[in-house]
Amino acid sequence: MNRPIRSFVLRQGRTTPAQKRALEQLFPKYGIPYSERKISSTRKLVLEIGSGMGETTLEIAKAHPEADFVAVEVHGPGIGSLLNAIEREQLTNLRVIRHDALDVLEHMIGDGTLAAIHLFFPDPWPKKRHHKRRMVQPAFVALAARKLAPGGVLHAATDWPDYAEHMQEVFSKEPLLETASAGFAARPVTKFESRGQRLGHPIRELLFRRTGTAPAAR
Ligand SMILES: C[S@@+](CC[C@H](N)C(=O)[O-])C[C@H]1O[C@@H](n2cnc3c(N)ncnc32)[C@H](O)[C@@H]1O
């Protein structure tokens, strides 16, 4: 069987009773089941890939009530935590998808529709033999660029210097992208980032935008 190389390994991890309850009771309210139907929004739409425990996602969505956010994550406990936080804050502009973000980008997002893609601290896969598992590869970047609206931002961050170099190179080579000076939103410190900071890792932020001019607001 020709198995695709995945950017994640599903760890079972511990799901707390509160996370389990959220997955059962709140997913129907705030989740979007994976399907091959496109997500539609009349407002600016931002997709986050690998939202982890979701604290950063929540902060950004709270700070931008004018936009819609979709967080994609495969890790059940993280999705459960974020669902609980959405309910606690009564947020109406943040939904979650529990599925491989590559399929979501390909099948659930229309071309030229995203105001931003957030890729904060993707799994670094530090061993050389695992580099093929890294999310940032030319095919992923071409797909991500195609999904951005003109002027839409690809905002990535990492605490692994060689991954940052690789991202910089792959983003720069994508014809639909050019460097950007600002993201869609300011990025609060993420959970994974604070771990990197404790270990003394340098943090690199990468900002690129899709070429072309955004259509004027009507
Ligand atoms: C290193 S963690 C960072 C989490 C969070 N962004 C942060 O900074 O704290 C990377 C996350 O990406 C998720 N992930 C990896 N590959 C994914 C994929 N193909 N689709 C969805 N989520 C993915 C993992 O489950 C993990 O939670």
Side-chain angles (χ1 to χ4, degrees):
M1 195 174 70
N2 196 6
R3 276 169 60 99
I5 298 167
R6 300 262 186 217
S7 59
F8 57 89
V9 173
L10 265 188
R11 298 157 277 133
Q12 270 324 301
R14 200 177 97 80
T15 307
T16 65
Q19 289 162 348
K20 186 166 180 288
R21 217 171 27 248
L23 288 167
E24 287 162 6
Q25 295 173 9
L26 299 179
F27 191 86
K29 196 164 166 192
Y30 303 110
I32 307 176
Y34 177 74
S35 78
E36 297 204 352
R37 281 225 311 274
K38 301 273 186 280
I39 296 171
S40 68
S41 169
T42 52
R43 311 191 314 154
K44 292 203 165 168
L45 183 63
V46 176
L47 186 82
E48 180 171 351
I49 295 178
S51 46
M53 297 308 282
E55 300 96 334
T56 303
T57 320
L58 189 84
E59 284 313 307
I60 294 179
K62 268 169 69 177
H64 289 274
E66 79 287 1
D68 285 329
F69 294 83
V70 175
V72 189
E73 176 54 66
V74 286
H75 183 53
I79 291 278
S81 284
L82 182 53
L83 288 168
N84 275 324
I86 298 172
E87 174 82 346
R88 194 171 57 241
E89 301 280 346
Q90 291 290 295
L91 274 193
T92 55
N93 64 335
L94 172 55
R95 312 283 299 272
V96 300
I97 301 178
R98 185 181 183 182
H99 196 82
D100 188 330
L102 282 177
D103 293 338
V104 172
L105 253 187
E106 173 93 52
H107 298 293
M108 297 186 77
I109 302 294
D111 288 354
T113 58
L114 293 176
I117 295 175
H118 290 165
L119 180 64
F120 300 153
F121 303 91
D123 291 301
W125 292 108
K127 291 184 183 145
K128 193 150 187 141
R129 68 171 193 279
H130 288 148
H131 282 185
K132 54 183 180 294
R133 287 184 172 274
R134 287 177 164 176
M135 177 71 75
V136 175
Q137 311 283 353
F140 162 75
V141 177
L143 176 67
R146 203 174 85 215
K147 299 297 172 175
L148 288 169
V153 179
L154 175 57
H155 185 171
T158 181
D159 62 336
W160 284 82
D162 78 309
Y163 199 10
E165 288 313 312
H166 172 76
M167 286 184 186
Q168 176 70 35
E169 190 182 325
V170 181
F171 292 168
S172 304
K173 282 190 178 152
E174 168 49 51
L176 283 180
L177 295 178
E178 61 193 17
T179 50
S181 49
F184 178 86
R187 185 178 59 75
V189 172
T190 80
K191 192 173 163 120
F192 200 78
E193 177 176 11
S194 10
R195 181 176 161 275
Q197 284 171 332
R198 278 198 303 278
L199 295 169
H201 294 178
I203 308 298
R204 273 279 296 279
E205 197 93 25
L206 295 105
L207 289 166
F208 280 74
R209 65 195 283 284
R210 181 164 171 174
T211 53
T213 317
R218 276 181 291 167

